[in-house]
Amino acid sequence: MHITMDSATEVVSGIRFPEGNRWHDGRLWYSDMHTGEVFSIDPGADAGPRLETTIEGQSSGLGWLADGRLIVSAMNARTIQVVRPDGTNEPFADLSSIEPSLLNDLVVDASTGRTYVGAFGYDLYGGEELRPGPLYVVDQDGSVRLAADGLVFPNSANVLPGTRTLVVSETWGGRLTAFDIEPDGSLTGRREWAALPEGVTPDGSTVDAEGAIWVCSVDTGEFLRVVEGGAVTDRIDAPGLCAIDCALGGEDGRTLYLATADSYDPGTTAGTRAGRISAVRVTVPGP
C-alpha cells in the first residue's frame, strides 16, 4: 500500500500537537502536547472529543496501569501522572531528581504492568547540542530505575505481540532498537531491529498483529510499516506535515489513526492549531 493523506478521513482537528495516540475501551485517546490536555473520542459518534485531564506543562505518552488507571508522561515536570476518576491527576512516579531533560513517550507492558519511559537527553528547545538519552522502567509501585542509556532521542516503544521484546524508536538515530525484557523488567540483548530509510526520523509508532511496526517520520512527513530488518511494506505520505503518532483501532482493529501537525515548535502551533487526527483502513489489525 502506498497512498497519500488525501485518502484519509478526518477524525478530529484543531489540535496543536497530537501525541500519545492509543485505542482503549472503544475510544481513541490522545494528548495535545502543547496544551497539556488529554482527550478521548468515539470516532463513530457525533459527540466530539471528551477532555479527560489536563497536565501542567507538556503532556506526551499515555498508558493504563494493571488496575485500569490512566497515566500520562508530564514532560516538563519529569513525572508520570496518574489520573483520578474526577479527571484531576497526581504524581505516580517522580523522575525529576534523576533526569534533567524532558520526559518523552511511554508504554505500559501489559503482561507485567511496568512502564517504560524515555527522556530527551538534552535541551532540544533551548538549542543545546544533541546528547544521547535514557530509557527508564517504572514498577507498579512507582519506583524508577534506569533500563538503558545511550539512545539517540528515545521516543515511542512497543512490546511485540507474543514476545518479551521491546522495540524503541531512536528519533535522531533513524532506527528502531530492540531489547529483551527480563522477568524483573530490566532490558538486555540490545540490538538494531530496523535501520530506517535515509532521512526518516521515527517519532510515534504502533505495532500490529504480525509484529510489524508502523513508524511516523516527523521530519519527512510519512508513515511507514516496517518489518524486522528494515523492509518497508506500506507507506502513507503526508507531504508538508509532521507525522507525529499513530494507533491501530476501530471495531476490527484495522483502522490506522494518523496524527499530524504543521510544526513541532510550540510558538508556531499556538497560532495555527493545524494538528489533526485522520484515519485510513489497513490490512493487518492491531494485536
Side-chain angles (χ1 to χ4, degrees):
M1 180 177 73
H2 187 180
I3 63 174
T4 68
M5 290 293 289
D6 294 337
S7 305
T9 301
E10 185 176 288
V11 175
V12 59
S13 60
I15 310 166
R16 285 182 60 183
F17 196 82
E19 264 282 12
N21 289 199
R22 307 284 189 267
W23 183 262
H24 181 74
D25 280 351
R27 299 177 69 85
L28 178 67
W29 298 66
Y30 63 94
S31 64
D32 190 339
M33 178 193 287
H34 292 169
T35 67
E37 296 168 308
V38 176
F39 297 92
S40 72
I41 187 171
D42 178 355
D46 296 327
R50 181 176 73 200
L51 179 64
E52 302 288 349
T53 193
T54 301
I55 302 297
E56 185 175 348
Q58 295 186 125
S59 57
S60 184
L62 310 180
W64 285 265
L65 298 174
D67 60 9
R69 290 180 297 167
L70 170 66
I71 57 171
V72 185
S73 52
M75 301 175 68
N76 303 66
R78 307 190 302 286
T79 63
I80 295 175
Q81 298 290 115
V82 64
V83 181
R84 302 185 187 97
D86 65 357
T88 59
N89 55 82
E90 62 183 352
F92 166 68
D94 190 343
L95 291 83
S96 61
S97 64
I98 59 173
E99 179 51 50
S101 68
L102 298 185
L103 293 191
N104 208 345
D105 208 347
L106 61 76
V107 64
V108 177
D109 180 0
S111 67
T112 67
R114 293 190 180 98
T115 301
Y116 294 88
V117 60
F120 284 23
Y122 72 109
D123 185 358
L124 170 67
Y125 298 124
E128 189 177 8
E129 184 177 350
L130 173 66
R131 290 198 308 270
L135 186 68
Y136 295 97
V137 58
V138 183
D139 288 304
Q140 291 196 55
D141 62 359
S143 59
V144 181
R145 54 203 154 96
L146 183 68
D149 209 347
L151 296 160
V152 187
F153 205 80
N155 210 318
S156 62
N158 296 276
V159 179
L160 301 186
T163 77
R164 301 304 299 140
T165 302
L166 182 77
V167 179
V168 181
S169 296
E170 292 190 68
T171 301
W172 309 134
R175 61 179 172 262
L176 304 179
T177 298
F179 297 90
D180 298 317
I181 305 173
E182 298 299 330
D184 67 352
S186 61
L187 301 178
T188 60
R190 179 174 177 165
R191 58 200 178 273
E192 184 177 86
W193 193 83
L196 300 175
E198 185 176 356
V200 170
T201 49
D203 191 343
S205 62
T206 192
V207 66
D208 67 23
E210 294 181 354
I213 296 177
W214 279 96
V215 172
C216 311
S217 178
V218 65
D219 280 351
T220 61
E222 54 191 334
F223 300 84
L224 309 174
R225 183 179 184 267
V226 181
V227 297
E228 186 173 6
V232 176
T233 66
D234 299 87
R235 183 188 305 266
I236 302 168
D237 292 325
L241 297 174
C242 297
I244 304 163
D245 207 352
C246 58
L248 284 161
E251 291 185 2
D252 62 0
R254 289 183 167 87
T255 300
L256 181 65
Y257 295 97
L258 311 168
T260 59
D262 57 341
S263 173
Y264 49 76
D265 173 35
T268 299
T269 65
T272 59
R273 285 191 170 268
R276 64 181 184 269
I277 300 175
S278 307
V280 298
R281 297 287 290 167
V282 296
T283 303
V284 183

